[in-house]
Amino acid sequence: MVKISLLSSTPLWFFHLVPYKIGECFFINLLPLFIIQVVGGSITDVGKTNSLVSLAGVVAFILWGNLSDRLGCRRPFLILGYIGFALCMWRIGVADNLVQVQQFSIVAGFVMAAIIPVSTALVLDTIPEKQWSKSFGRFYLIGGWSFVIALIGGGIWQELVSDSWGTVSAMRSLFIFASGATFLSLILCLIWVKEPPQVRSNRLFSPSLLGRLSVGVIERRVLFYPSRMIYFILRPEWLNQVHQKLYSPLNLYYLCSALFFLAVQIVYLPFPIFLAEVLGATNSLILLIIFGKALIEAFLYFPIGRFVQNHDSIRWQTLGTAVRVAVFIVFTLLAFFKPTPASLVMIGFAHLFTGVTWAVINVASTLSVASLATKGEEGMALGVYNSIIGVATMVGSLVSGYIAASFGYSWCFATGTVLTGLTVVCFWLLELIMHSHHRKVLSFR
């Protein structure tokens, strides 16, 4: 396994994404709070908005990438994505009501889906195949650290500005800043990004990319906008995967994963709003809590990824999910009991463990899908997997908003905890089925 260095031999154009990624981080992490605190929306409105933005992203993620292949160009789609996202961030920042925020958030989800798949395809077009693994490690690592920088800067800005300008103005200013940062990425794109000499439209799955497909992706981004739908390994005939027998290990794994992401979304959709409304956390403190988890992910992703790659991926995914259950139990207990000054400390500390578990789950899931798929169809299997994640997060957003609005945050966390526990049981049973099947094959031989 090659060691990833962020700056060594990294193409300059990789860094044109940094300002945009900072703006994207503000959009994803602050939009729920913006809906509640600035335009007077409810937790149900947050769930609906999340679901609609995710739906727009799922549709657009495939559309933009395939259209880019057919037309044989990359830069126009990046330019379109940057201009559209920048304008949407500015309009959200100055929006007067919830309807405007929802409309421009949906458009943002649609146009921002042009940026990552096309950028990813551009890596494949311009980098020799033998260097793909190392290059994608750098590519996603830059994105991950951009999120960390955004969380630090956003937290400091909220702390310094909220007292003098007020929370509403401080929130609006960050969305306007996100717009300006994205325009900077547009300028850098025009200067640094060149059209590739040849567009590769027929891409096969490369085993060397295992464990690097989602490096540096912050989980909040995954939940809000299912951009883990890895376009560059998606083929048009991906639906053929669904024709497998329902009880095949791969389809059972799909079901387990759908349940997991449904449960996670139910917990995390109201999480920042719970911190603000129930535990009394300031927006800067909320960003600090998210930052701690993101920082752990950025440091531990590669060492954990190397470890999981050499061990039973489903077993480690089961263990990682089990730790999530323990974290969610802490969330649930803190929600049921009267908050104290220690509640924020406890929930912040517990949240750190989700960073470790996400590194395990993210790498293990990619390895598991690829290993369970029919040889030669790994790319299609990963495409189906990420599509299922997108649907699960959309449904989870709606369910979470309804439970939180009808029964409160405590029952929202409790529901997610129970479903995550059920996921652990499902993964454990799947592991037993796999081992039993493996023993039968060895016995037959």
Side-chain angles (χ1 to χ4, degrees):
M1 180 71 67
V2 292
K3 183 178 180 180
I4 299 296
S5 175
L6 187 59
L7 297 177
S8 62
S9 304
T10 301
L12 186 63
W13 73 265
F14 278 22
F15 293 94
H16 90 280
L17 284 161
V18 171
Y20 159 74
K21 301 294 284 184
I22 292 174
E24 184 190 44
C25 178
F26 290 151
F27 175 52
I28 291 170
N29 287 293
L30 293 178
L31 184 62
L33 295 172
F34 192 92
I35 290 174
I36 299 290
Q37 298 176 1
V38 179
V39 293
S42 65
I43 183 63
T44 304
D45 295 321
V46 173
K48 290 179 181 178
T49 305
N50 252 36
S51 184
L52 290 172
V53 174
S54 294
L55 178 60
V58 168
V59 174
F61 209 89
I62 299 174
L63 170 67
W64 292 126
N66 287 334
L67 190 59
S68 174
D69 271 352
R70 289 182 181 276
L71 296 180
C73 57
R74 304 299 185 204
R75 287 177 84 237
F77 293 93
L78 290 175
I79 293 170
L80 174 65
Y82 287 139
I83 293 175
F85 186 74
L87 292 176
C88 287
M89 291 303 97
W90 177 75
R91 287 295 290 119
I92 292 173
V94 299
D96 295 325
N97 54 63
L98 175 64
V99 174
Q100 291 179 355
V101 172
Q102 289 179 325
Q103 289 174 343
F104 286 103
S105 294
I106 294 169
V107 177
F110 188 82
V111 295
M112 67 194 285
I115 298 172
I116 295 304
V118 173
S119 296
T120 305
L122 194 60
V123 175
L124 297 176
D125 293 333
T126 58
I127 303 295
E129 184 172 353
K130 292 182 179 179
Q131 300 177 24
W132 280 358
S133 180
K134 184 186 296 184
S135 296
F136 274 110
R138 294 180 183 135
F139 181 76
Y140 285 110
L141 197 62
I142 289 171
W145 280 105
S146 299
F147 263 60
V148 171
I149 292 171
L151 292 169
I152 296 174
I156 293 174
W157 178 261
Q158 287 282 309
E159 187 66 27
L160 295 177
V161 173
S162 293
D163 290 339
S164 54
W165 288 10
T167 300
V168 172
S169 295
M171 292 281 282
R172 289 186 183 278
S173 65
L174 284 179
F175 277 83
I176 294 174
F177 177 84
S179 175
T182 305
F183 272 118
L184 177 57
S185 277
L186 171 64
I187 295 172
L188 296 177
C189 173
L190 294 173
I191 297 173
W192 290 343
V193 178
K194 309 298 180 184
E195 279 292 346
Q198 180 181 5
V199 171
R200 302 175 185 176
S201 58
N202 298 316
R203 287 181 280 274
L204 299 177
F205 176 78
S206 174
S208 67
L209 298 178
L210 281 177
R212 299 189 184 278
L213 297 179
S214 302
V215 172
V217 176
I218 306 303
E219 184 180 79
R220 186 66 196 158
R221 177 171 175 237
V222 174
L223 297 175
F224 179 81
Y225 162 59
S227 57
R228 291 182 73 247
M229 190 179 298
I230 308 299
Y231 152 73
F232 65 87
I233 56 173
L234 212 59
R235 304 183 208 168
E237 63 271 22
W238 66 271
L239 284 173
N240 290 336
Q241 286 286 332
V242 181
H243 295 163
Q244 297 185 52
K245 294 180 180 179
L246 181 61
Y247 52 83
S248 69
L250 181 57
N251 272 338
L252 292 175
Y253 185 85
Y254 288 155
L255 293 175
C256 293
S257 299
L259 180 60
F260 172 76
F261 281 95
L262 174 70
V264 167
Q265 183 70 338
I266 289 174
V267 171
Y268 274 113
L269 176 81
F271 182 68
I273 303 170
F274 167 77
L275 293 178
E277 292 187 349
V278 179
L279 299 188
T282 62
N283 290 345
S284 57
L285 185 55
I286 293 172
L287 289 178
L288 179 62
I289 290 173
I290 299 173
F291 160 75
K293 173 180 173 291
L295 187 64
I296 285 181
E297 285 181 2
F299 274 115
L300 296 184
Y301 195 99
F302 279 113
I304 289 179
R306 287 194 293 267
F307 176 82
V308 173
Q309 281 182 313
N310 297 320
H311 295 79
D312 188 329
S313 58
I314 294 180
R315 175 172 297 177
W316 279 97
Q317 187 166 1
T318 304
L319 292 173
T321 306
V323 174
R324 276 293 174 94
V325 175
V327 173
F328 290 168
I329 288 175
V330 174
F331 290 2
T332 303
L333 292 176
L334 290 174
F336 270 109
F337 291 101
K338 185 178 180 179
T340 67
S343 298
L344 273 174
V345 177
M346 294 173 64
I347 206 166
F349 182 74
H351 194 245
L352 294 176
F353 284 93
T354 63
V356 180
T357 61
W358 181 242
V360 173
I361 292 168
N362 205 8
V363 175
S365 63
T366 304
L367 292 168
S368 297
V369 173
S371 62
L372 292 174
T374 303
K375 187 175 179 58
E377 297 182 348
E378 297 92 341
M380 288 185 291
L382 283 163
V384 174
Y385 170 73
N386 287 288
S387 298
I388 289 172
I389 289 177
V391 174
T393 55
M394 281 183 267
V395 175
S397 294
L398 294 175
V399 173
S400 182
Y402 170 76
I403 295 175
S406 301
F407 305 102
Y409 299 115
S410 55
W411 286 105
C412 207
F413 294 157
T415 302
T417 301
V418 171
L419 292 178
T420 307
L422 182 58
T423 305
V424 174
V425 175
C426 292
F427 277 131
W428 177 69
L429 292 175
L430 179 60
E431 183 184 357
L432 293 180
I433 292 172
M434 290 297 299
H435 288 168
S436 176
H437 176 73
H438 183 64
R439 285 195 296 269
K440 288 180 179 179
V441 172
L442 292 177
S443 177
F444 177 77
R445 289 178 179 176

